[in-house]
Amino acid sequence: MDTRELFARLIQCEAGGEGDDGMRAVATVVMNRATITFGEFARINEGGNIRNIIEQENQFTCMKTSVGGYYNSQNVYNMTPTDVHYEIVDWAMAGGRLAGVDNSLFFFNPYSQTCPAYFPTRVGVIHNRIGDHCFYIPTRYYELT
């Protein structure tokens, strides 16, 4: 599958139940990682390679076919993106970014009403919450990655 389809599948899998803003927020994080010029993601993106970001090991649960030794049915290979997923990908790839997510590089669902102040490895500090996901902007720790 091409990068656009993989990206659409990732958006559907990671945030399909979060509405347009939730999906746009996740797409924004992917593109922020693909365009950052310093730290770990700059080395991974090799100057803007979105596929490298999506396929980076251990970054997106939806890219895994097994989690904890069990089959993960919630993976990109089981997704069937619709027009809305492709529209969001096209918007993001054309430079669209969701306000409120800004320079966020990390997100996760804490399965809690509150977001932890820091991303688990302290490379990000809380910036915003959209739906069930907490979004984090990079800290100085990220700059050292």
Side-chain angles (χ1 to χ4, degrees):
M1 82 184 71
D2 67 13
T3 299
R4 181 175 178 255
E5 180 180 353
L6 180 63
F7 197 175
R9 287 172 179 244
L10 181 74
I11 296 304
Q12 180 184 23
C13 186
E14 290 284 345
E18 297 288 324
D20 283 2
D21 280 353
M23 291 186 287
R24 287 179 190 276
V26 169
T28 296
V29 167
V30 170
M31 293 307 299
N32 287 347
R33 289 180 179 192
T35 57
I36 196 164
T37 59
F38 60 91
E40 173 189 9
F41 297 127
R43 287 189 303 281
I44 299 298
N45 76 32
E46 297 177 334
N49 188 317
I50 298 165
R51 190 176 199 97
N52 282 3
I53 293 299
I54 293 171
E55 292 180 336
Q56 183 184 2
E57 191 171 348
N58 296 319
Q59 294 299 305
F60 300 104
T61 302
C62 285
M63 290 301 295
K64 297 179 179 186
T65 55
S66 67
V67 176
Y70 296 96
Y71 179 67
N72 174 29
S73 62
Q74 184 75 14
N75 70 65
V76 295
Y77 308 104
N78 290 338
M79 297 292 111
T80 307
T82 64
D83 288 346
V84 70
H85 304 109
Y86 286 105
E87 289 167 8
I88 289 169
V89 165
D90 292 342
W91 165 84
M93 291 174 75
R97 300 294 180 270
L98 185 69
V101 179
D102 306 300
N103 296 315
S104 295
L105 293 179
F106 313 97
F107 70 90
F108 81 106
N109 182 339
Y111 299 99
S112 169
Q113 294 295 337
T114 59
C115 295
Y118 290 93
F119 195 71
T121 56
R122 299 186 74 79
V123 293
V125 64
I126 189 64
H127 182 63
N128 202 352
R129 183 179 184 129
I130 298 175
D132 290 332
H133 290 91
C134 302
F135 290 84
Y136 297 81
I137 56 175
T139 63
R140 299 250 328 130
Y141 291 108
Y142 169 75
E143 293 177 22
L144 303 173
T145 63

